[in-house]
Amino acid sequence: EITPHDRYETGLYSSQYDIYDESRLTLMSDLREALNQDQTELHYQPKMCLSTGRVIGVEALIRWHHPDRGWVYPGDFVPLAEETGVIMQLTSWAINRGIADLAKLNATHPELTLAINISARDLSSPGLRHQITETLQRHGLPASRLTLELTETAAMEDPETGLKALQHLAESGLQISIDDFGSGYSSLSYLKQLPASEIKLDRSIIVDICTSDSSRVIVETAINMVHGLGYSVVAEGVEDRESAELLRHLNCDRVQGFWLCHPLSLAGLRQWLDKHQPPDPLAFDQAGR
Ligand code: C2E
Ligand code: MG
Ligand code: MG
Ligand code: MG
């Protein structure tokens, strides 16, 4: 039997499948409910500095255990939440939960920054900046401890409004990171105007840097270009030590990926951070799992 999900995946979906529409709507109303009742969670994935071996921050990734469907991953509901506008509620929830967790970690890890993923639609929300700065203040945390990750595609959706909103956020002292760079079609002239401090190279261009000469050249060129624009570079989706070493050789600043650590619950992150001792940046074995 062909499920609505199969239809969607194979591009066969069309509006005649009302059932599918209904299940989408149900998923979104379930998500609203889950967010309201705090049944969603944030998991955290560390970002490590390649020259010191230190963890400089963590990225928050939403996790949702649906009572009937089991685990539902962001790839299956974030795009839908973006389409339907539920994303504003999701982002608002993530800001509250993420900053509260950062405050809990602060006593033992005052150096960590927290990155929260936001979407294009969040940029048009007039209350976003206020909510973030107010929540940080309430927890006694400076704005510089929070990074907002926005994909290059999202930043380009409405370039003028997007740029203004990002400038406002950056003026408040928040860090801006451009996510999934290399997966879309950014205009370089737009990229250089963004008030970002960090660019994240998409996993799709990182994945075969050790086996493909052209991928390595692309990544090397991207790193140099991003540095030339004054941003630091993170490689996402790094799955093995060899890639991490090559990236360090290519002057990449930071890595993130399963090689270092999978996304972890707050409790799991604490345990992992306790064990991750980086006295020797060359001691990659310690970080490897
Ligand atoms: P992203 O922000 O680019 O996050 C990276 C994704 O890659 C995460 O998937 C992470 O679990 C996965 N990943 C990390 N390291 C590796 C690796 O070494 N190999 C592989 N194969 N994957 C790796 P996840 O958690 O499923 O999230 C997918 C996307 O959904 C995120 O991409 C982000 O765009 C979005 N997302 C997740 N949480 C949130 C959220 O709270 N708010 C918003 N607006 N979007 C979110
Ligand atoms: Mg991200
Ligand atoms: Mg990314
Ligand atoms: Mg990505």
Side-chain angles (χ1 to χ4, degrees), residues 65-81:
H65 192 261
H66 189 284
D68 312 319
R69 299 176 197 239
W71 288 103
V72 191
Y73 287 98
D76 288 329
F77 63 88
V78 168
L80 199 50

Side-chain angles (χ1 to χ4, degrees), residues 28-158:
M28 285 299 100
S29 71
D30 290 356
L31 177 61
R32 276 211 178 87
E33 179 89 358
L35 291 166
N36 260 330
Q37 308 202 349
D38 226 18
Q39 285 164 356
T40 40
E41 268 182 63
L42 289 177
H43 280 195
Y44 296 98
Q45 188 179 36
K47 286 183 192 173
M48 187 185 82
C49 172
L50 277 171
S51 57
T52 64
R54 284 182 200 286
V55 172
I56 50 105
V58 295
E59 175 181 5
L61 296 158
I62 191 168
R63 295 292 178 262
W64 179 22
H65 192 261
H66 189 284
D68 312 319
R69 299 176 197 239
W71 288 103
V72 191
Y73 287 98
D76 288 329
F77 63 88
V78 168
L80 199 50
E82 288 173 339
E83 241 175 77
T84 53
V86 177
I87 196 67
M88 314 267 219
Q89 191 191 339
L90 192 159
T91 301
S92 174
W93 172 84
I95 287 165
N96 280 329
R97 172 62 76 90
I99 294 174
D101 283 353
L102 184 65
K104 288 183 194 159
L105 279 173
N106 196 44
T108 45
H109 298 91
E111 75 292 350
L112 285 188
T113 60
L114 170 74
I116 291 186
N117 290 285
I118 62 165
S119 301
R121 283 183 82 160
D122 294 312
L123 290 182
S124 61
S125 156
L128 180 73
R129 179 162 84 140
H130 177 75
Q131 190 204 345
I132 295 173
T133 51
E134 192 273 324
T135 310
L136 284 166
Q137 262 170 29
R138 187 152 39 83
H139 288 283
L141 296 165
S144 57
R145 296 281 297 284
L146 195 76
T147 302
L148 298 175
E149 291 192 8
L150 183 78
T151 66
E152 52 166 341
T153 320
M156 299 267 301
E157 209 161 273
D158 181 353

Side-chain angles (χ1 to χ4, degrees), residues 59 117 149 179-180 200 202 236:
E59 175 181 5
N117 290 285
E149 291 192 8
D179 208 347
D180 298 351
K200 297 182 73 173
D202 193 59
E236 67 169 27

Side-chain angles (χ1 to χ4, degrees), residues 8-9 11 23 32 35 63 79 95 108 125 162 174 193 203 216 226:
Y8 187 63
E9 289 286 288
S23 84
R32 276 211 178 87
L35 291 166
R63 295 292 178 262
I95 287 165
T108 45
S125 156
L174 299 161
Q193 297 179 54
R203 193 179 92 83
R216 198 197 63 243
V226 169

